[in-house]
Amino acid sequence: MEYVSVPTDIPDEQTPLLEVYDQIGPKSTFTQTTVNSLNLLMGMGLLSLPFAFYKLGWVLGLSLLVFFCMLACYTAYLIGKCMEFETGVGKLSSFYDIAYMAYGAPGKYFMVVLFSLELLAAAVAMLILFADSLISLVPVLTPFKPQIMIGSILLLTPLTWQKSMSKISWVSFVGVLSLIVLTVAILWDGITSPVGPGSIFDPQQTNMWPEDINQIGLGIGLLFVGLDGDQILNLGHAVFPSLYLDMIEKKRFGKSVSITYTIVAMFYSLIGACGYLMFGNEIQPEVSQNLPLVPSFNVLLNQSALSFIAINPLTKYALIVHPVNSTIEGLFNIYSDTLTILSRTFLSFLVLLIAIIFPSFYKVMGFIGAALSFMTVVIMPTACYIRLSWDSVSWWSRFAHSCIIVFGFGFMTFGTYGVMTV
């Protein structure tokens, strides 16, 4: 990491924001930006990747995964291009700035609402994931899933009352650790098991093509949710502007995201393929749910993986809902401590109510991927780029990017319909 001197004078309002930012260290190198991007994108969505392959079949599953990675990579590149546009007081600094510059206040508020909905849905998914993981560890608790979620909310809600997240932000490393342990567990189980189910060398029955066309929409949502970043802490494309600003060699941002999504495509393909080969058409909506069902697996390793996955949502719940709480409080001018506690408690119980009504982790994740992620990853970045570059690009570029938006709306509509009708 490279450090530069901090300016001693305060810039005036006409000083371009990007120039001020460039004077403040520390800054990230090309390699560090790429690693940060990988950490940003590797999320709990990979738990449902093998299940998505089951719904889509090998041909469609692998093809769409590669295509979606390419699409998300290109729109991340477009965000970097948008960051280069000059405004009246300098260059842009966030996704909200991009939306505001392209479409005014409505664009900015639309993105605020969209990101808040994604985080709210992610909170619901994490509450369900905790209950499912605890049940996998202690199967006798299966009939008590609603009670587990109620108890979890009662314990977690007080953590949301503090306005600063600095005291609990240290727990974010648990998410990365849980993914590493889960990946090791799956690969180790698959390699060391001589016969199936659960062996890579003795593959179970799988499908080349979807068995049910009505399930394709759900599979699309589950595939795409993993490309919108770790839904638990941040939203992938929403954070790319910050990574761009923090990069020393900003001209290499496009290459950085290309490498990032290439690695993501390989890693996600590996996890999805291994999980589907090991358990075939008996794959559970969360691959972690299959681990306790095979007696020959390493019990200690699998129990550790399930324990980390169970703990992960609990450690991150307050971080998930914090931006949503802040948005609500700013919108309704809530400043007193009493009203803050009431507002945040109400939001937590709203999360609980949604989780009880829609208790399927894979359906919630599929909804995030289909209904919300296509908007944040594909449609909005492309629409903002077209608006900002309209006078400087050819008609062919306008047409091509308009087609991307149309494709994005098509996948979003088809996927959302598929998830809602399952």
Side-chain angles (χ1 to χ4, degrees):
M1 186 157 298
E2 195 172 298
Y3 291 83
V4 294
S5 60
V6 178
T8 57
D9 57 332
I10 300 176
D12 60 41
E13 295 182 355
Q14 297 305 314
T15 303
L17 179 58
L18 190 57
E19 291 180 11
V20 175
Y21 194 100
D22 283 339
Q23 299 177 56
I24 301 176
K27 306 288 288 182
S28 297
T29 64
F30 174 85
T31 302
Q32 290 167 337
T33 300
T34 303
V35 172
N36 288 337
S37 299
L38 285 170
N39 184 44
L40 170 72
L41 291 174
M42 296 298 186
M44 298 304 290
L46 65 82
L47 285 174
S48 297
L49 276 177
F51 189 69
F53 276 37
Y54 162 56
K55 293 299 182 182
L56 295 171
W58 284 111
V59 176
L60 199 57
L62 286 171
S63 299
L64 284 178
L65 179 59
V66 173
F67 172 71
F68 288 159
C69 280
M70 293 172 61
L71 187 60
C73 176
Y74 182 68
T75 55
Y77 166 77
L78 290 183
I79 289 176
K81 297 296 291 182
C82 287
M83 296 291 290
E84 298 175 2
F85 285 100
E86 294 283 354
T87 71
V89 293
K91 296 190 178 181
L92 308 175
S93 60
S94 70
F95 209 146
Y96 298 123
D97 288 342
I98 293 173
Y100 180 80
M101 192 61 190
Y103 296 101
K108 179 178 181 178
Y109 291 132
F110 176 77
M111 294 308 302
V112 169
V113 171
L114 185 62
F115 290 148
S116 296
L117 287 175
E118 280 203 275
L119 288 171
L120 182 64
V124 173
M126 286 305 98
L127 189 61
I128 297 170
L129 178 60
F130 168 72
D132 288 346
S133 300
L134 187 60
I135 289 171
S136 295
L137 284 167
V138 189
V140 71
L141 296 176
T142 300
F144 304 104
K145 185 174 180 178
Q147 289 85 343
I148 293 173
M149 292 191 291
I150 292 172
S152 302
I153 282 293
L154 291 176
L155 290 173
L156 295 173
T157 298
L159 295 177
T160 69
W161 293 345
Q162 52 185 323
K163 295 185 178 181
S164 173
M165 294 291 100
S166 58
K167 295 181 180 180
I168 62 174
S169 59
W170 63 271
V171 300
S172 62
F173 80 94
V174 176
V176 177
L177 185 59
S178 64
L179 293 180
I180 293 174
V181 175
L182 175 64
T183 302
V184 170
I186 292 174
L187 295 179
W188 178 261
D189 289 338
I191 293 173
T192 57
S193 299
V195 295
S199 173
I200 294 176
F201 305 107
D202 183 23
Q204 300 303 289
Q205 180 180 355
T206 57
N207 303 320
M208 290 298 293
W209 298 95
E211 283 188 330
D212 185 354
I213 192 172
N214 295 321
Q215 302 285 321
I216 294 178
L218 174 62
I220 288 174
L222 292 174
L223 274 187
F224 202 76
V225 69
L227 302 180
D228 193 14
D230 184 355
Q231 298 290 335
I232 314 314
L233 287 178
N234 41 48
L235 304 169
H237 276 51
V239 183
F240 275 129
S242 298
L243 295 179
Y244 174 88
L245 285 175
D246 194 56
M247 193 174 186
I248 297 174
E249 303 175 89
K250 294 178 176 59
K251 292 183 178 180
R252 301 182 68 190
F253 179 76
K255 183 177 181 181
S256 174
V257 295
S258 296
I259 294 175
T260 296
Y261 275 102
T262 298
I263 296 174
V264 167
M266 295 171 61
F267 181 78
Y268 279 12
S269 296
L270 175 66
I271 295 299
C274 286
Y276 191 31
L277 282 173
M278 290 166 60
F279 303 108
N281 294 339
E282 300 301 317
I283 187 72
Q284 297 294 311
E286 303 152 42
V287 66
S288 55
Q289 293 176 320
N290 284 94
L291 300 184
L293 304 180
V294 182
S296 62
F297 281 174
N298 186 304
V299 177
L300 180 60
L301 180 60
N302 291 331
Q303 291 290 327
S304 299
L306 289 172
S307 298
F308 273 114
I309 293 172
I311 293 172
N312 188 31
L314 296 183
T315 61
K316 294 180 176 181
Y317 176 80
L319 294 172
I320 301 171
V321 299
H322 180 68
V324 184
N325 281 321
S326 298
T327 299
I328 293 173
E329 288 156 18
L331 183 63
F332 294 100
N333 295 317
I334 298 175
Y335 298 110
S336 72
D337 291 340
T338 301
L339 289 178
T340 296
I341 290 175
L342 290 175
S343 171
R344 297 186 175 199
T345 301
F346 174 79
L347 182 67
S348 288
F349 278 90
L350 177 61
V351 169
L352 173 63
L353 178 63
I354 297 173
I356 292 176
I357 296 174
F358 304 101
S360 298
F361 175 79
Y362 73 95
K363 288 186 179 180
V364 175
M365 294 299 284
F367 175 80
I368 296 174
L372 302 175
S373 293
F374 272 105
M375 182 64 72
T376 58
V377 175
V378 179
I379 298 171
M380 282 304 295
T382 309
C384 289
Y385 174 76
I386 289 179
R387 186 67 176 265
L388 293 174
S389 66
W390 187 266
D391 295 329
S392 61
V393 297
S394 64
W395 69 269
W396 168 247
S397 177
R398 299 171 193 164
F399 173 76
H401 288 96
S402 297
C403 289
I404 292 177
I405 295 175
V406 172
F407 277 118
F409 271 113
F411 278 116
M412 183 182 73
T413 303
F414 183 70
T416 303
Y417 176 80
V419 172
M420 300 302 291
T421 56
V422 170

mmCIF file of all heavy atoms in Angstrom, residues 178-208:
data_model
loop_
_atom_site.group_PDB
_atom_site.id
_atom_site.type_symbol
_atom_site.label_atom_id
_atom_site.label_comp_id
_atom_site.label_asym_id
_atom_site.label_seq_id
_atom_site.Cartn_x
_atom_site.Cartn_y
_atom_site.Cartn_z
ATOM 1 N N SER A 178 -16.037 -18.263 7.066
ATOM 2 C CA SER A 178 -17.056 -19.298 6.884
ATOM 3 C C SER A 178 -17.078 -19.822 5.461
ATOM 4 O O SER A 178 -17.260 -21.025 5.229
ATOM 5 C CB SER A 178 -18.435 -18.749 7.271
ATOM 6 O OG SER A 178 -18.825 -17.698 6.423
ATOM 7 N N LEU A 179 -16.870 -18.933 4.470
ATOM 8 C CA LEU A 179 -16.834 -19.366 3.073
ATOM 9 C C LEU A 179 -15.624 -20.252 2.816
ATOM 10 O O LEU A 179 -15.709 -21.246 2.079
ATOM 11 C CB LEU A 179 -16.801 -18.148 2.152
ATOM 12 C CG LEU A 179 -18.057 -17.279 2.122
ATOM 13 C CD1 LEU A 179 -17.870 -16.118 1.165
ATOM 14 C CD2 LEU A 179 -19.266 -18.103 1.707
ATOM 15 N N ILE A 180 -14.489 -19.900 3.402
ATOM 16 C CA ILE A 180 -13.274 -20.698 3.224
ATOM 17 C C ILE A 180 -13.466 -22.097 3.816
ATOM 18 O O ILE A 180 -13.162 -23.118 3.168
ATOM 19 C CB ILE A 180 -12.066 -20.005 3.881
ATOM 20 C CG1 ILE A 180 -11.733 -18.714 3.135
ATOM 21 C CG2 ILE A 180 -10.842 -20.935 3.896
ATOM 22 C CD1 ILE A 180 -10.650 -17.882 3.795
ATOM 23 N N VAL A 181 -13.995 -22.158 5.049
ATOM 24 C CA VAL A 181 -14.198 -23.447 5.708
ATOM 25 C C VAL A 181 -15.213 -24.287 4.940
ATOM 26 O O VAL A 181 -15.024 -25.503 4.754
ATOM 27 C CB VAL A 181 -14.667 -23.242 7.163
ATOM 28 C CG1 VAL A 181 -15.007 -24.582 7.814
ATOM 29 C CG2 VAL A 181 -13.589 -22.529 7.977
ATOM 30 N N LEU A 182 -16.286 -23.661 4.439
ATOM 31 C CA LEU A 182 -17.296 -24.394 3.670
ATOM 32 C C LEU A 182 -16.696 -24.956 2.387
ATOM 33 O O LEU A 182 -16.932 -26.121 2.037
ATOM 34 C CB LEU A 182 -18.474 -23.481 3.348
ATOM 35 C CG LEU A 182 -19.555 -24.082 2.443
ATOM 36 C CD1 LEU A 182 -20.225 -25.270 3.124
ATOM 37 C CD2 LEU A 182 -20.580 -23.029 2.054
ATOM 38 N N THR A 183 -15.923 -24.138 1.685
ATOM 39 C CA THR A 183 -15.303 -24.585 0.440
ATOM 40 C C THR A 183 -14.366 -25.757 0.686
ATOM 41 O O THR A 183 -14.380 -26.758 -0.051
ATOM 42 C CB THR A 183 -14.525 -23.426 -0.217
ATOM 43 O OG1 THR A 183 -15.424 -22.338 -0.462
ATOM 44 C CG2 THR A 183 -13.901 -23.871 -1.524
ATOM 45 N N VAL A 184 -13.543 -25.639 1.715
ATOM 46 C CA VAL A 184 -12.620 -26.725 2.063
ATOM 47 C C VAL A 184 -13.394 -27.993 2.409
ATOM 48 O O VAL A 184 -13.030 -29.100 1.984
ATOM 49 C CB VAL A 184 -11.704 -26.307 3.244
ATOM 50 C CG1 VAL A 184 -10.923 -27.506 3.772
ATOM 51 C CG2 VAL A 184 -10.764 -25.200 2.816
ATOM 52 N N ALA A 185 -14.484 -27.831 3.161
ATOM 53 C CA ALA A 185 -15.275 -28.991 3.564
ATOM 54 C C ALA A 185 -15.870 -29.699 2.351
ATOM 55 O O ALA A 185 -15.797 -30.936 2.245
ATOM 56 C CB ALA A 185 -16.383 -28.561 4.528
ATOM 57 N N ILE A 186 -16.447 -28.940 1.437
ATOM 58 C CA ILE A 186 -17.071 -29.548 0.255
ATOM 59 C C ILE A 186 -16.034 -30.275 -0.596
ATOM 60 O O ILE A 186 -16.228 -31.432 -1.003
ATOM 61 C CB ILE A 186 -17.795 -28.475 -0.570
ATOM 62 C CG1 ILE A 186 -19.000 -27.933 0.198
ATOM 63 C CG2 ILE A 186 -18.252 -29.046 -1.923
ATOM 64 C CD1 ILE A 186 -19.691 -26.772 -0.497
ATOM 65 N N LEU A 187 -14.923 -29.600 -0.880
ATOM 66 C CA LEU A 187 -13.891 -30.207 -1.726
ATOM 67 C C LEU A 187 -13.252 -31.415 -1.040
ATOM 68 O O LEU A 187 -12.993 -32.443 -1.682
ATOM 69 C CB LEU A 187 -12.824 -29.162 -2.075
ATOM 70 C CG LEU A 187 -13.303 -27.983 -2.933
ATOM 71 C CD1 LEU A 187 -12.165 -27.012 -3.194
ATOM 72 C CD2 LEU A 187 -13.887 -28.466 -4.254
ATOM 73 N N TRP A 188 -12.988 -31.302 0.265
ATOM 74 C CA TRP A 188 -12.384 -32.417 0.986
ATOM 75 C C TRP A 188 -13.325 -33.622 1.020
ATOM 76 O O TRP A 188 -12.909 -34.768 0.784
ATOM 77 C CB TRP A 188 -12.028 -31.983 2.406
ATOM 78 C CG TRP A 188 -11.431 -33.087 3.238
ATOM 79 C CD1 TRP A 188 -12.061 -33.870 4.162
ATOM 80 C CD2 TRP A 188 -10.068 -33.542 3.200
ATOM 81 N NE1 TRP A 188 -11.195 -34.785 4.705
ATOM 82 C CE2 TRP A 188 -9.956 -34.613 4.141
ATOM 83 C CE3 TRP A 188 -8.945 -33.164 2.473
ATOM 84 C CZ2 TRP A 188 -8.749 -35.280 4.352
ATOM 85 C CZ3 TRP A 188 -7.748 -33.821 2.694
ATOM 86 C CH2 TRP A 188 -7.661 -34.869 3.623
ATOM 87 N N ASP A 189 -14.598 -33.376 1.304
ATOM 88 C CA ASP A 189 -15.578 -34.460 1.317
ATOM 89 C C ASP A 189 -15.674 -35.126 -0.052
ATOM 90 O O ASP A 189 -15.716 -36.354 -0.159
ATOM 91 C CB ASP A 189 -16.952 -33.921 1.715
ATOM 92 C CG ASP A 189 -17.020 -33.529 3.185
ATOM 93 O OD1 ASP A 189 -16.208 -34.032 3.976
ATOM 94 O OD2 ASP A 189 -17.885 -32.695 3.534
ATOM 95 N N GLY A 190 -15.717 -34.299 -1.093
ATOM 96 C CA GLY A 190 -15.861 -34.841 -2.441
ATOM 97 C C GLY A 190 -14.669 -35.643 -2.895
ATOM 98 O O GLY A 190 -14.809 -36.649 -3.614
ATOM 99 N N ILE A 191 -13.476 -35.247 -2.474
ATOM 100 C CA ILE A 191 -12.246 -35.937 -2.902
ATOM 101 C C ILE A 191 -12.004 -37.204 -2.090
ATOM 102 O O ILE A 191 -11.552 -38.227 -2.627
ATOM 103 C CB ILE A 191 -11.038 -34.981 -2.788
ATOM 104 C CG1 ILE A 191 -11.167 -33.849 -3.809
ATOM 105 C CG2 ILE A 191 -9.722 -35.725 -3.003
ATOM 106 C CD1 ILE A 191 -10.111 -32.770 -3.655
ATOM 107 N N THR A 192 -12.293 -37.162 -0.793
ATOM 108 C CA THR A 192 -11.971 -38.288 0.088
ATOM 109 C C THR A 192 -13.049 -39.371 0.101
ATOM 110 O O THR A 192 -12.784 -40.486 0.573
ATOM 111 C CB THR A 192 -11.747 -37.789 1.528
ATOM 112 O OG1 THR A 192 -12.916 -37.085 1.987
ATOM 113 C CG2 THR A 192 -10.542 -36.847 1.582
ATOM 114 N N SER A 193 -14.246 -39.082 -0.381
ATOM 115 C CA SER A 193 -15.322 -40.074 -0.380
ATOM 116 C C SER A 193 -15.234 -40.919 -1.652
ATOM 117 O O SER A 193 -15.328 -40.388 -2.763
ATOM 118 C CB SER A 193 -16.695 -39.406 -0.298
ATOM 119 O OG SER A 193 -16.817 -38.653 0.894
ATOM 120 N N PRO A 194 -15.056 -42.237 -1.525
ATOM 121 C CA PRO A 194 -14.893 -43.084 -2.716
ATOM 122 C C PRO A 194 -16.190 -43.342 -3.469
ATOM 123 O O PRO A 194 -16.182 -43.585 -4.680
ATOM 124 C CB PRO A 194 -14.318 -44.381 -2.137
ATOM 125 C CG PRO A 194 -14.809 -44.404 -0.720
ATOM 126 C CD PRO A 194 -14.893 -42.981 -0.272
ATOM 127 N N VAL A 195 -17.314 -43.346 -2.760
ATOM 128 C CA VAL A 195 -18.597 -43.638 -3.407
ATOM 129 C C VAL A 195 -19.599 -42.546 -3.056
ATOM 130 O O VAL A 195 -19.470 -41.852 -2.052
ATOM 131 C CB VAL A 195 -19.140 -45.016 -2.962
ATOM 132 C CG1 VAL A 195 -18.215 -46.128 -3.431
ATOM 133 C CG2 VAL A 195 -19.302 -45.076 -1.445
ATOM 134 N N GLY A 196 -20.601 -42.407 -3.924
ATOM 135 C CA GLY A 196 -21.624 -41.408 -3.695
ATOM 136 C C GLY A 196 -22.754 -41.915 -2.838
ATOM 137 O O GLY A 196 -22.834 -43.114 -2.555
ATOM 138 N N PRO A 197 -23.632 -41.040 -2.406
ATOM 139 C CA PRO A 197 -23.610 -39.595 -2.675
ATOM 140 C C PRO A 197 -22.534 -38.885 -1.865
ATOM 141 O O PRO A 197 -22.168 -39.327 -0.788
ATOM 142 C CB PRO A 197 -25.000 -39.141 -2.226
ATOM 143 C CG PRO A 197 -25.382 -40.121 -1.163
ATOM 144 C CD PRO A 197 -24.801 -41.435 -1.590
ATOM 145 N N GLY A 198 -22.022 -37.809 -2.454
ATOM 146 C CA GLY A 198 -21.006 -37.019 -1.775
ATOM 147 C C GLY A 198 -19.617 -37.195 -2.319
ATOM 148 O O GLY A 198 -18.662 -36.655 -1.756
ATOM 149 N N SER A 199 -19.470 -37.943 -3.429
ATOM 150 C CA SER A 199 -18.149 -38.167 -4.012
ATOM 151 C C SER A 199 -18.062 -37.544 -5.397
ATOM 152 O O SER A 199 -18.958 -37.731 -6.222
ATOM 153 C CB SER A 199 -17.847 -39.666 -4.101
ATOM 154 O OG SER A 199 -16.634 -39.887 -4.807
ATOM 155 N N ILE A 200 -16.954 -36.829 -5.637
ATOM 156 C CA ILE A 200 -16.727 -36.276 -6.974
ATOM 157 C C ILE A 200 -16.426 -37.391 -7.965
ATOM 158 O O ILE A 200 -16.747 -37.298 -9.154
ATOM 159 C CB ILE A 200 -15.574 -35.252 -6.933
ATOM 160 C CG1 ILE A 200 -15.979 -34.031 -6.091
ATOM 161 C CG2 ILE A 200 -15.169 -34.804 -8.343
ATOM 162 C CD1 ILE A 200 -14.880 -33.005 -5.922
ATOM 163 N N PHE A 201 -15.814 -38.483 -7.473
ATOM 164 C CA PHE A 201 -15.412 -39.582 -8.352
ATOM 165 C C PHE A 201 -16.534 -40.572 -8.619
ATOM 166 O O PHE A 201 -16.384 -41.481 -9.436
ATOM 167 C CB PHE A 201 -14.208 -40.313 -7.733
ATOM 168 C CG PHE A 201 -13.056 -39.401 -7.423
ATOM 169 C CD1 PHE A 201 -12.752 -39.069 -6.120
ATOM 170 C CD2 PHE A 201 -12.297 -38.849 -8.450
ATOM 171 C CE1 PHE A 201 -11.701 -38.213 -5.829
ATOM 172 C CE2 PHE A 201 -11.243 -37.990 -8.172
ATOM 173 C CZ PHE A 201 -10.941 -37.672 -6.862
ATOM 174 N N ASP A 202 -17.648 -40.414 -7.933
ATOM 175 C CA ASP A 202 -18.828 -41.247 -8.168
ATOM 176 C C ASP A 202 -20.042 -40.328 -8.300
ATOM 177 O O ASP A 202 -20.897 -40.256 -7.406
ATOM 178 C CB ASP A 202 -19.016 -42.238 -7.016
ATOM 179 C CG ASP A 202 -20.196 -43.181 -7.249
ATOM 180 O OD1 ASP A 202 -20.579 -43.379 -8.424
ATOM 181 O OD2 ASP A 202 -20.742 -43.705 -6.248
ATOM 182 N N PRO A 203 -20.097 -39.592 -9.428
ATOM 183 C CA PRO A 203 -21.136 -38.562 -9.589
ATOM 184 C C PRO A 203 -22.543 -39.145 -9.513
ATOM 185 O O PRO A 203 -22.798 -40.266 -9.956
ATOM 186 C CB PRO A 203 -20.854 -37.989 -10.990
ATOM 187 C CG PRO A 203 -19.434 -38.367 -11.285
ATOM 188 C CD PRO A 203 -19.212 -39.677 -10.598
ATOM 189 N N GLN A 204 -23.447 -38.342 -8.944
ATOM 190 C CA GLN A 204 -24.847 -38.738 -8.861
ATOM 191 C C GLN A 204 -25.569 -38.321 -10.145
ATOM 192 O O GLN A 204 -25.015 -37.648 -11.011
ATOM 193 C CB GLN A 204 -25.483 -38.070 -7.643
ATOM 194 C CG GLN A 204 -24.827 -38.449 -6.336
ATOM 195 C CD GLN A 204 -24.831 -39.944 -6.091
ATOM 196 O OE1 GLN A 204 -25.874 -40.536 -5.815
ATOM 197 N NE2 GLN A 204 -23.680 -40.595 -6.211
ATOM 198 N N GLN A 205 -26.812 -38.730 -10.265
ATOM 199 C CA GLN A 205 -27.591 -38.422 -11.463
ATOM 200 C C GLN A 205 -27.813 -36.913 -11.573
ATOM 201 O O GLN A 205 -28.278 -36.271 -10.636
ATOM 202 C CB GLN A 205 -28.925 -39.141 -11.429
ATOM 203 C CG GLN A 205 -29.787 -38.870 -12.661
ATOM 204 C CD GLN A 205 -31.114 -39.609 -12.603
ATOM 205 O OE1 GLN A 205 -31.344 -40.398 -11.691
ATOM 206 N NE2 GLN A 205 -31.987 -39.333 -13.564
ATOM 207 N N THR A 206 -27.473 -36.356 -12.725
ATOM 208 C CA THR A 206 -27.648 -34.922 -12.974
ATOM 209 C C THR A 206 -28.378 -34.714 -14.301
ATOM 210 O O THR A 206 -28.593 -35.661 -15.052
ATOM 211 C CB THR A 206 -26.292 -34.192 -13.016
ATOM 212 O OG1 THR A 206 -25.467 -34.792 -14.035
ATOM 213 C CG2 THR A 206 -25.563 -34.284 -11.675
ATOM 214 N N ASN A 207 -28.719 -33.472 -14.608
ATOM 215 C CA ASN A 207 -29.456 -33.143 -15.828
ATOM 216 C C ASN A 207 -28.615 -32.248 -16.737
ATOM 217 O O ASN A 207 -27.974 -31.311 -16.264
ATOM 218 C CB ASN A 207 -30.760 -32.414 -15.495
ATOM 219 C CG ASN A 207 -31.651 -33.216 -14.576
ATOM 220 O OD1 ASN A 207 -31.778 -34.436 -14.712
ATOM 221 N ND2 ASN A 207 -32.282 -32.537 -13.626
ATOM 222 N N MET A 208 -28.637 -32.530 -18.010
ATOM 223 C CA MET A 208 -27.971 -31.662 -18.976
ATOM 224 C C MET A 208 -28.802 -30.412 -19.242
ATOM 225 O O MET A 208 -28.265 -29.328 -19.476
ATOM 226 C CB MET A 208 -27.727 -32.403 -20.286
ATOM 227 C CG MET A 208 -26.675 -33.496 -20.210
ATOM 228 S SD MET A 208 -25.029 -32.840 -19.769
ATOM 229 C CE MET A 208 -24.667 -31.863 -21.220
#
